[in-house]
Amino acid sequence: MKNYKKYIATLLAVGIVFGTVGCGSSADSSSSKKDDDSFEATENVEVADAEAIEAIPDGVDGTILYLGVQDLNPTRGNPEKSTELTLFESKGGSIQYSQTSQFERFDKLADAIMSNKDVPDIVNYEWLSFPAQVVKDMYQPIDELVDFDQPLWSGVKSTADQFVLGGKHYVAPLTFVASSMLCYDTDVIEAEGLDDPYEMYLEGTWDWNAFEDIMSEYVSGAEAGTDRYGINGFFRQHFIQQTGKNMVNYNQETGEFESNLKDPDIEKGENALYEMMKSNLIYTDWVGSARDAFKKGCLFYAMGDWAYTGTNTPKDGENWAIVPHPQYPDNPQKITTSDMKAFMWVRGSTKPEAVKCWFECYRSAYSDPQYLETNKQKFMENNPNWTDEMYQVKMDVQSDEYHMIFDYAFGVSSMLGDPNSFDGNICLTDALYNYSSQIVEDSQMTWAQVREKYSATVDSEIKTLNESIKKFNSDNA
C-alpha cells in the first residue's frame, strides 16, 4: 500500500496534464509570472493566420483572466509560444494568468465567485468539474459560445453530449490526449523474438489476449537471478475501460446517475488484472520514465507521453515504439481513456466574445490540418528520436475514430474524486480501479471484495448528487 500511495503522490507532483491522474489533477507550476518577464518566447515554427476565425470586436475587452496551476503564456521553463495562443493574440486576445496551487485551486475559485472579486473567466476542465461543480453553480453553459453543428465543432459533438445537464452543454472539447499509452523498446522485442505489438496494432490483433501472452512470454524468459515484469505505470483504469464501461453511468431517460459496479465486463477486467498481479507481471513501485522502467526489467511502460518526451525522450541509439492500450476481445471498439483539454466558463465571467474566440483558436490549433502539421513540426523538433510511426499512434488515439471515454465516478463528488477526501493520496474511484491488482494492507483483494467494501459509499454519493441535480435543474429551468 505504501508503494502505491507513493506512486500516486508522485504522479500528482510531476504535473501530468489535462487529467491523467485518476482524479483529474495537474500539478503546480514552479515558475511564477514575474520570473518570466525577462525572456523572449521562442517561435521556431511559423503559425499561419486563421482567416475563418473572427477577431474580437473593437471596443470589447479581449483579455481573459485564467486561473490555473500552469501558465498558458510562455514561461522560462516552457518558452515556446503555443499555436493556439499565437492565433488568439492575432485576433486581439490575450491571457492574464492568475496562479494558484494544486491544493488551493478549487477554494480560490469558489472564493472569487462568492466575493464577486477577481472572478476568472476560465479554469481548466477537470473530472471533478462535471457534474459535481456544475451543480454548485460554479460554471456557465457554453451553448451561446459553441455551435456543435458547425464544422469546427461537429467532430466533438458526441463527446460534448456526455457533459450535458438540464439540456445545456457545459464542456466544449478542444483536443484530446491519451492519458496513457504503452511504450516499449523495440530492440528488446527483437532480441527476445517476441511479436511486435505495433505490428499487431496495425493488423487489428492487439487485444487483451495478445497483451497478456507477450508479457507472460517475456517474463518467463528471464535468466536465473534476473527480475522481469510485464508492465509498470498508469494502466489499470485504461485496461478496464477498453470494455467501454464506467463505474458510474448517466441514464438519459431518468436524468440520473447510476452505479455500474456490478457490470460483468468490468468484473472481467478487474479479474484479469488480479491474475496479472498474481502472475508477477506487474511492477508496482513508482518509476519516473520509460527509460527507468526498462532498466527495471519492465517490458511496457504505461503513461502519458510526458514520460517519454522532452527530457525523457529517446536518446540517440535508443529505439522505442508506442501502441494504444489493447482492445477488449468482446468489444473491439476503438476506445481512448482520454485527457480532454477544455476550459470551464466560470459563473460571473462577462467576456463571452473573448472566451468564444479563445475556444475557436484552441480548437482550430488541434483540428485544422495546417496547424496539425505545425504542431507536428514543433513536437518532432523537440523529440528528434521519435519516429513517424510513434507520432502517428499518438495522433490516432486522439482522433475522431476513437471513442473518448470518461468515467462520471470521478466527477460525482469530492468523496469519489478528490484524494484529500479519501486518504490524501488517492481518491475512492482510483481504489475501485486499482485495488484488485495492488497489495493493500498486506493482502491483495479480489474485485468482489473491493466492490463490497465501497459500493455503499458509491451508492450514497450518487444519491446525494441526483438530489442536487434535481434542485439545480429546477433553479435553472
Side-chain angles (χ1 to χ4, degrees), residues 112-155:
I113 294 173
M114 290 292 292
S115 66
N116 197 29
K117 183 178 180 181
D118 297 326
V119 177
D121 298 293
I122 58 172
V123 296
N124 284 320
Y125 156 79
E126 301 184 44
W127 283 340
L128 265 176
S129 303
F130 185 94
Q133 292 182 332
V134 169
V135 298
K136 294 179 181 178
D137 268 336
M138 299 181 74
Y139 308 117
Q140 304 183 60
I142 47 84
D143 297 276
E144 69 175 275
L145 308 182
V146 178
D147 182 352
F148 288 106
D149 292 327
Q150 293 299 311
L152 180 62
W153 298 104
S154 59

Side-chain angles (χ1 to χ4, degrees), residues 426-441:
I426 65 169
C427 62
L428 192 150
T429 304
D430 282 327
L432 294 173
Y433 277 110
N434 291 281
Y435 275 7
S436 67
S437 55
Q438 291 287 348
I439 302 301
V440 181
E441 297 177 354

Side-chain angles (χ1 to χ4, degrees), residues 8-25:
I8 292 294
T10 309
L11 282 179
L12 289 167
V14 296
I16 305 172
V17 296
F18 299 174
T20 300
V21 178
C23 298
S25 302

Side-chain angles (χ1 to χ4, degrees), residues 74-364:
T75 63
R76 188 180 302 279
N78 184 24
E80 187 165 0
K81 185 181 293 185
S82 67
T83 301
E84 58 270 21
L85 182 60
T86 300
L87 293 176
F88 187 54
E89 290 180 348
S90 74
K91 301 301 179 181
S94 63
I95 302 291
Q96 180 183 345
Y97 177 43
S98 176
Q99 187 176 30
T100 186
S101 72
Q102 172 66 27
F103 299 103
E104 296 175 340
R105 66 199 190 284
F106 293 144
D107 290 338
K108 188 170 182 179
L109 174 61
D111 289 344
I113 294 173
M114 290 292 292
S115 66
N116 197 29
K117 183 178 180 181
D118 297 326
V119 177
D121 298 293
I122 58 172
V123 296
N124 284 320
Y125 156 79
E126 301 184 44
W127 283 340
L128 265 176
S129 303
F130 185 94
Q133 292 182 332
V134 169
V135 298
K136 294 179 181 178
D137 268 336
M138 299 181 74
Y139 308 117
Q140 304 183 60
I142 47 84
D143 297 276
E144 69 175 275
L145 308 182
V146 178
D147 182 352
F148 288 106
D149 292 327
Q150 293 299 311
L152 180 62
W153 298 104
S154 59
V156 295
K157 185 180 186 302
S158 61
T159 301
D161 287 345
Q162 297 181 55
F163 300 91
V164 172
L165 280 182
K168 299 175 182 178
H169 293 88
Y170 283 86
V171 177
L174 302 174
T175 188
F176 306 98
V177 173
S179 58
S180 176
M181 294 178 285
L182 301 181
C183 183
Y184 64 96
D185 189 330
T186 59
D187 291 340
V188 171
I189 294 292
E190 183 175 348
E192 296 294 320
L194 302 172
D195 291 333
D196 190 340
Y198 177 72
E199 295 298 327
M200 286 188 277
Y201 162 66
L202 293 180
E203 295 167 358
T205 59
W206 182 234
D207 62 12
W208 285 8
N209 296 326
F211 176 56
E212 293 175 45
D213 287 347
I214 193 173
M215 289 194 297
S216 296
E217 186 175 351
Y218 172 72
V219 171
S220 65
E223 297 179 357
T226 302
D227 292 327
R228 280 187 177 182
Y229 304 91
I231 190 168
N232 172 259
F234 184 48
F235 64 92
R236 296 164 176 86
Q237 173 188 342
H238 309 75
F239 183 86
I240 293 169
Q241 288 186 340
Q242 285 297 313
T243 64
K245 304 295 182 63
N246 291 321
M247 299 292 181
V248 172
N249 291 330
Y250 180 67
N251 188 320
Q252 295 281 356
E253 293 183 2
T254 64
E256 294 185 338
F257 289 87
E258 300 171 343
S259 172
N260 197 37
L261 299 190
K262 295 183 179 180
D263 183 88
D265 291 318
I266 288 179
E267 185 166 11
K268 285 184 181 179
E270 293 280 4
N271 289 341
L273 290 174
Y274 179 88
E275 293 301 327
M276 286 183 206
M277 185 67 180
K278 285 290 187 183
S279 301
N280 202 38
L281 298 182
I282 301 173
Y283 183 72
T284 57
D285 285 357
W286 163 254
V287 180
S289 70
R291 183 176 296 104
D292 290 341
F294 301 153
K295 290 178 180 178
K296 294 285 186 180
C298 299
L299 182 62
F300 292 108
Y301 184 63
M303 199 64 68
D305 64 22
W306 66 268
Y308 31 94
T309 58
T311 57
N312 297 316
T313 200
K315 297 179 180 178
D316 290 348
E318 292 179 326
N319 300 301
W320 296 356
I322 57 174
V323 287
H325 283 268
Q327 293 179 328
Y328 179 43
D330 293 348
N331 177 27
Q333 179 184 9
K334 293 182 177 180
I335 293 173
T336 295
T337 300
S338 175
D339 286 341
M340 175 175 64
K341 187 59 185 180
F343 297 94
M344 306 302 291
W345 189 23
V346 177
R347 181 78 63 181
S349 167
T350 57
K351 300 177 183 176
E353 297 92 350
V355 174
K356 179 177 183 293
C357 185
W358 171 244
F359 284 1
E360 291 175 353
C361 289
Y362 210 119
R363 175 63 185 156
S364 294

Side-chain angles (χ1 to χ4, degrees), residues 37-82:
D37 287 342
S38 60
F39 78 95
E40 293 183 4
T42 63
E43 295 194 46
N44 300 330
V45 179
E46 183 178 354
V47 178
D49 187 25
E51 298 180 358
I53 299 176
E54 294 184 3
I56 298 172
D58 292 338
V60 172
D61 188 352
T63 299
I64 290 176
L65 180 61
Y66 161 68
L67 174 66
V69 297
Q70 293 176 315
D71 202 344
L72 299 174
N73 297 291
T75 63
R76 188 180 302 279
N78 184 24
E80 187 165 0
K81 185 181 293 185
S82 67

